Amino acid sequence: MAELSAPPLAIDAMQGVQTNIVAPAPVGAPIPIPGVAQPPAAAAPPPAEETPTETLYIQNLNEKIKIPVLKSSLRGLFKSYGEVLDVVAHSNLRMRGQAFVSFPSADIAQKALKEVRGFPLYSKPMQISFARTRSDAVVKKLDEDNFEAHKQKRLEHKKATRYTNPIKRKYRQKRLAAEMDGGAAVPATKRPNVQMPDEYLPPNKILFLQNLPDSVSKDQLMALFSQYPNLYEVRLIPTKKDIAFVEFLDEASATVAKDALHNYKLDGENKIKITFARK
């Protein structure tokens, strides 16, 4: 899926500015006269509601997260609301910190927006709105006969606005200025690696168990996980009794066991946490 048109950014006005300053009356407004009743001011029109579409436009994403990891995390987060047709995110200057998530219907997108808006993904609350145009994935799913025409129109628009985008123009001007000065481009500072939360790690055949009772034994864990096929090994950590690793012969078997036993109360009180192990 290619880039979509994003809705205009909302700007918080006058934050941190003194608020007891009287604004001048607008041109043509009646001058207040003491003791004389003034006609009531016209009520401000209510804010326009967003028109639901099948695609969500997400901003304020953590730019330090690698794009494949970010896309996988967004897909995992939104799949509980319905089929996720596509997730688009890029690391280029224009799309940094943003993404698009497409669903097969506007109703699914609307429910997801209502419940996920403000969710802190990688410590940054997501700002979510509806995209203004349909994505390639949505058109291909719902209106396949017009897919090629839609794609061609999008590519023509992208080509026409390639150098009119203000962010791209500013970046291009800086690059040209650096070349004219004969100076090499300043190398970008290396971003620190941000560790992905355990809950969003990609599937693999080894499970990582946390919050285990101190009294847990290898035989107990073997008995618990042998209910599921293809169990290979259980490994306890002698110096840290509340964690363990459980390995299966394949990823699918590990996924079944994880989904079934996550938050299981092994001792009747504390829930064990099960995630995929880091590779």
Side-chain angles (χ1 to χ4, degrees):
M1 183 178 104
E3 296 175 13
L4 306 175
S5 299
L9 298 175
I11 302 175
D12 294 333
M14 303 293 287
Q15 286 192 357
V17 178
Q18 184 179 347
T19 56
N20 59 354
I21 300 174
V22 179
V27 176
I31 301 173
I33 303 173
V36 178
Q38 301 298 318
E49 292 187 2
E50 291 182 288
T51 302
T53 62
E54 300 89 348
T55 300
L56 298 181
Y57 171 54
I58 306 172
Q59 299 169 273
N60 198 42
L61 295 170
N62 195 324
E63 298 178 14
K64 297 177 181 178
I65 306 300
K66 293 182 179 180
I67 294 300
V69 173
L70 180 64
K71 291 173 70 172
S72 175
S73 299
L74 288 171
R75 187 177 290 275
L77 181 64
F78 283 101
K79 70 179 181 181
S80 59
Y81 297 94
E83 180 186 3
V84 176
L85 297 181
D86 199 8
V87 177
V88 169
H90 299 292
S91 58
N92 60 42
L93 192 66
R94 184 184 178 195
M95 284 292 294
R96 196 176 297 161
Q98 306 166 66
F100 294 90
V101 179
S102 294
F103 301 92
S105 77
D107 289 341
I108 297 175
Q110 190 170 28
K111 179 176 174 60
L113 179 145
K114 185 182 296 184
E115 296 186 11
V116 180
R117 177 182 272 169
F119 176 81
L121 184 64
Y122 298 113
S123 304
K124 295 192 70 174
M126 293 188 290
Q127 299 172 7
I128 309 177
S129 55
F130 293 107
R132 293 188 298 176
T133 58
R134 275 186 160 181
S135 69
D136 284 2
V138 170
V139 174
K140 192 167 186 177
K141 175 83 172 179
L142 305 180
D143 191 14
E144 191 171 3
D145 292 342
N146 293 316
F147 175 69
E148 290 301 327
H150 161 84
K151 187 176 180 180
Q152 183 64 30
K153 184 178 179 181
R154 177 181 58 74
L155 292 174
E156 289 174 357
H157 175 75
K158 181 179 179 181
K159 185 177 180 181
T161 58
R162 179 171 295 170
Y163 295 114
T164 58
N165 181 277
I167 298 176
K168 284 188 175 181
R169 186 167 60 241
K170 182 178 179 180
Y171 180 76
R172 186 165 175 264
Q173 288 172 348
K174 287 178 67 176
R175 188 178 61 186
L176 290 173
E179 290 175 356
M180 290 177 65
D181 290 343
V186 178
T189 55
K190 187 176 181 181
R191 296 184 179 184
N193 291 326
V194 178
Q195 193 173 47
M196 186 179 186
D198 292 342
E199 291 79 1
Y200 295 111
L201 289 170
N204 66 83
K205 63 182 182 178
I206 301 176
L207 301 178
F208 178 46
L209 280 55
Q210 300 177 72
N211 201 33
L212 293 170
D214 288 343
S215 59
V216 71
S217 67
K218 183 175 181 178
D219 290 340
Q220 283 180 292
L221 293 179
M222 287 289 292
L224 180 64
F225 283 90
S226 62
Q227 304 174 70
Y228 304 94
N230 300 321
L231 176 64
Y232 176 69
E233 184 184 17
V234 172
R235 298 193 297 272
L236 299 178
I237 310 300
T239 57
K240 197 165 175 57
K241 296 182 179 180
D242 62 335
I243 65 173
F245 293 92
V246 177
E247 184 173 352
F248 285 81
L249 293 176
D250 57 73
E251 179 183 299
S253 300
T255 302
V256 171
K258 171 185 173 295
D259 292 342
L261 296 176
H262 178 59
N263 287 332
Y264 177 77
K265 293 182 179 179
L266 190 61
D267 59 355
E269 296 181 6
N270 300 315
K271 296 178 180 179
I272 60 173
K273 178 181 178 182
I274 307 177
T275 59
F276 293 110
R278 295 180 184 276
K279 291 185 178 181

